[in-house]
Amino acid sequence: MSRIIGVLNYKGGTGKTTTVVNVAAGLAMRGARVLCIDLDAQGGLALSLGTRYLYTLTDLLLGRAEPEDCVVRARHNLDIIASDRSLLAAEGELWRMGDEKAARRRLADGMRDIRGYDYILLDFSPSVNIVSENGLLFTEEMIVPVATDYMALAGTRQVIDTLKSVYWEMQHYIKLYLVLPSFYYEQRRKDREVIELLQRYFGNRVAEPIRANVRLAEAPGFGQTIYEYDPRCSGAEDYGRLVERIVKDG
């Protein structure tokens, strides 16, 4: 059975795509088979990995291609289903289906026969739309990256409210797996206070923070993971530590 883990915060700039890319790559380097699905029309996943594709998530959701045709190899042990701006048009098509329940389950239904992955990671858009609802009804665990500023805490609260509503309204349970502090500067008092606040509310579900690191910001521009771009930097160390926790918790 695959572990299906989403990465979501409704505030932009928290490191969602960076987390998906480098967690997925770290798991793949440890021998796990990993599939990443991009739920964001900005298409950051394929860009970050320098991956070309023919079919996208739009084709899967609208039944224009088989799921296996939408899967492309990004690295050894690491596959992706890419997205691009066509996903914006797919939202309208899904609403016009006339069956709201079926429209929200297109991803889960389409992925039903996909086998062979130890982990499936979903890179959510910060927007609330029918595509993200598809992702929620497929996801089983959620990682919430939180930039260490007070405004980011509001996005975290919104994610938690969403997980509750998915359970009560759609009868689908998603475990809040980890809260992941990102862009962390240990020397700043504010950052330390945010960590303490998160730990007060979420206890051991707060992962060790991802330190602010310019190499993490540079790597996607070269289509590389942090382990390829600068394996000795603090970003590679921090994401490596997160990967180890995910493996251990498996």
Side-chain angles (χ1 to χ4, degrees):
M1 293 289 291
S2 304
R3 284 182 68 185
I4 305 174
I5 304 173
V7 179
L8 170 64
N9 193 315
Y10 289 114
K11 184 180 184 300
T14 60
K16 292 185 299 296
T17 299
T18 299
T19 295
V20 170
V21 165
N22 292 302
V23 166
L27 290 168
M29 289 165 58
R30 287 159 176 78
R33 291 278 290 123
V34 185
L35 172 66
C36 297
I37 303 175
D38 195 344
L39 301 173
D40 194 334
Q42 294 186 45
L45 196 57
L47 290 172
S48 295
L49 289 165
T51 305
R52 296 183 179 181
Y53 53 88
L54 181 59
Y55 298 106
T56 69
L57 180 62
T58 298
D59 298 299
L60 188 157
L61 294 175
L62 300 183
R64 301 195 304 222
E66 295 299 318
E68 55 270 22
D69 295 328
C70 301
V71 174
V72 295
R73 175 65 54 87
R75 299 290 190 277
H76 178 65
N77 284 338
L78 173 55
D79 298 341
I80 70 168
I81 296 178
S83 284
D84 55 25
R85 292 189 62 80
S86 68
L87 199 59
L88 299 174
E91 294 175 19
E93 293 293 327
L94 290 172
W95 281 119
R96 286 189 285 273
M97 283 180 59
D99 185 337
E100 189 173 316
K101 183 177 180 180
R104 287 172 166 164
R105 293 200 56 85
R106 295 289 290 182
L107 179 60
D109 291 343
M111 295 296 294
R112 186 177 296 145
D113 295 327
I114 294 291
R115 299 286 186 271
Y117 293 104
D118 301 297
Y119 298 89
I120 299 177
L121 304 181
L122 290 89
D123 184 9
F124 277 81
S125 161
S127 304
V128 180
N129 53 48
I130 195 168
V131 173
S132 63
E133 289 178 354
N134 268 267
L136 289 169
L137 288 175
F138 183 52
T139 298
E140 296 174 351
E141 305 175 63
M142 192 68 75
I143 295 175
V144 183
V146 184
T148 46
D149 63 72
Y150 294 110
M151 290 300 296
L153 298 178
T156 307
R157 192 176 302 114
Q158 188 178 359
V159 172
I160 293 168
D161 290 343
T162 297
L163 301 189
K164 291 178 180 177
S165 69
V166 168
Y167 177 72
W168 289 111
E169 297 174 17
M170 305 179 191
Q171 290 75 56
H172 178 69
Y173 174 69
I174 304 172
K175 173 185 176 182
L176 177 60
Y177 173 42
L178 291 175
V179 175
L180 177 66
S182 58
F183 301 100
Y184 175 63
Y185 288 93
E186 186 176 11
Q187 65 271 29
R188 292 198 308 210
R189 177 180 174 183
K190 170 188 66 65
D191 290 38
R192 298 194 303 271
E193 289 176 346
V194 169
I195 296 285
E196 291 172 3
L197 185 61
L198 290 171
Q199 290 172 337
R200 191 181 312 157
Y201 280 99
F202 300 109
N204 62 8
R205 284 181 291 188
V206 179
E208 292 192 51
I210 306 297
R211 289 167 286 181
N213 182 266
V214 68
R215 309 299 271 175
L216 284 171
E218 293 172 347
F222 294 88
Q224 294 184 337
T225 71
I226 195 59
Y227 315 109
E228 295 164 332
Y229 186 67
D230 190 349
R232 297 183 179 180
C233 73
S234 64
E237 179 184 342
D238 293 347
Y239 274 112
R241 185 170 57 240
L242 175 61
V243 168
E244 291 297 338
R245 174 165 183 173
I246 292 171
V247 171
K248 181 181 177 181
D249 290 344

